[in-house]
Amino acid sequence: ASAIFGVAEAYQNLGEYEQAVAMYDECQHLLRAALCNDHPDIANVLNRLGKLHSDHGNHEKSFECYSMALRICQANFDPTHVQIAEMQFATGVAARKRGDYESARQHLQDALKIQKKAELMNETCFSLIELGNVHRLVKEADIAVSVYERCIDILDTTKADQSLYGCLYLSLGHAKLALREIERANECYENSLRSRTELYGRDHPTTA
């Protein structure tokens, strides 16, 4: 199973979607036969499968994989374990991408509870950004702005993941645009562009 997992990773890195899915599925079946259906190693495979499906736009399958991985983590770890928060976050993002906003909101709020308690600043900020995105997508732009601003308030610039800033200001710009605050939206977009240019360079797809 470990060897097949490595092959799946190689296919994933090469962008060979179908082959990677087949290898991860085979790895998962072997682990279920050798261990038990709720073993954490299976959650790890499902987590990788979830990301693979998400990267290729298959958000239904991504949500399914993350949901199964979350259930396994909940069966194995304390309710406040950071791995559960990680899976709650991933499941929430997958739910948001498939248009299930209420499910997304609940998963992200559950992730936030654990992340705040563990004082995980970067993880908390990413969850707040995603929660703000959910509010924005259900036409609650004013609430989204307040959520994004909470994220700004807790950011420690000396410790923050620098990719946070590009995501945060881009999302805040969208919310300000929805509120017809055009000048402020433009400032946010410029901040996002500046951050991503510094981090990735002018020719990176994320900057584009």
Side-chain angles (χ1 to χ4, degrees):
S2 179
I4 290 171
F5 185 87
V7 174
E9 284 186 309
Y11 277 128
Q12 185 173 3
N13 291 334
L14 289 169
E16 300 289 346
Y17 175 57
E18 297 295 340
Q19 291 91 331
V21 169
M23 290 293 100
Y24 280 130
D25 281 340
E26 185 175 351
C27 178
Q28 181 188 166
H29 293 319
L30 284 170
L31 289 173
R32 290 183 185 278
L35 304 171
C36 64
N37 286 331
D38 286 340
H39 195 281
D41 285 354
I42 297 172
N44 184 44
V45 178
L46 288 166
N47 185 23
R48 296 302 295 268
L49 257 176
K51 184 178 187 311
L52 178 63
H53 287 308
S54 179
D55 289 345
H56 286 80
N58 192 340
H59 302 306
E60 292 294 332
K61 290 292 293 183
S62 177
F63 178 78
E64 180 183 327
C65 290
Y66 283 135
S67 296
M68 289 190 291
L70 174 59
R71 286 195 293 271
I72 293 173
C73 289
Q74 289 171 327
N76 283 277
F77 302 116
D78 181 87
T80 60
H81 197 283
V82 293
Q83 192 164 342
I84 291 180
E86 180 184 336
M87 294 315 307
Q88 290 281 17
F89 173 80
T91 308
V93 173
R96 191 261 298 167
K97 289 181 177 179
R98 72 196 285 259
D100 188 352
Y101 300 127
E102 187 53 44
S103 175
R105 191 197 315 260
Q106 187 59 60
H107 284 298
L108 291 167
Q109 288 173 339
D110 289 343
L112 274 167
K113 291 175 186 175
I114 301 172
Q115 292 161 345
K116 287 179 179 178
K117 186 173 182 179
E119 298 182 345
L120 302 172
M121 184 189 67
N122 289 322
E123 289 81 355
T124 297
C125 287
F126 277 118
S127 290
L128 284 171
I129 292 170
E130 282 294 336
L131 186 60
N133 291 344
V134 172
H135 284 293
R136 180 169 52 81
L137 288 167
V138 296
K139 312 302 182 185
E140 297 172 347
D142 53 339
I143 299 176
V145 167
S146 68
V147 174
Y148 297 140
E149 289 177 344
R150 279 169 56 198
C151 184
I152 292 173
D153 289 341
I154 66 173
L155 272 176
D156 181 340
T157 56
T158 63
K159 299 178 182 178
D161 182 333
Q162 294 304 300
S163 65
L164 269 166
Y165 293 98
C167 296
L168 175 57
Y169 283 109
L170 182 63
S171 296
L172 183 56
H174 292 335
K176 290 293 186 181
L177 190 63
L179 293 171
R180 300 289 190 263
E181 297 179 19
I182 309 302
E183 185 175 345
R184 178 59 179 144
N186 192 52
E187 291 175 3
C188 292
Y189 290 141
E190 288 179 348
N191 285 338
S192 178
L193 177 59
R194 188 180 307 111
S195 173
R196 290 187 169 182
T197 302
E198 291 174 357
L199 188 60
Y200 302 111
R202 293 182 58 84
D203 299 325
H204 194 275
T206 304
T207 306

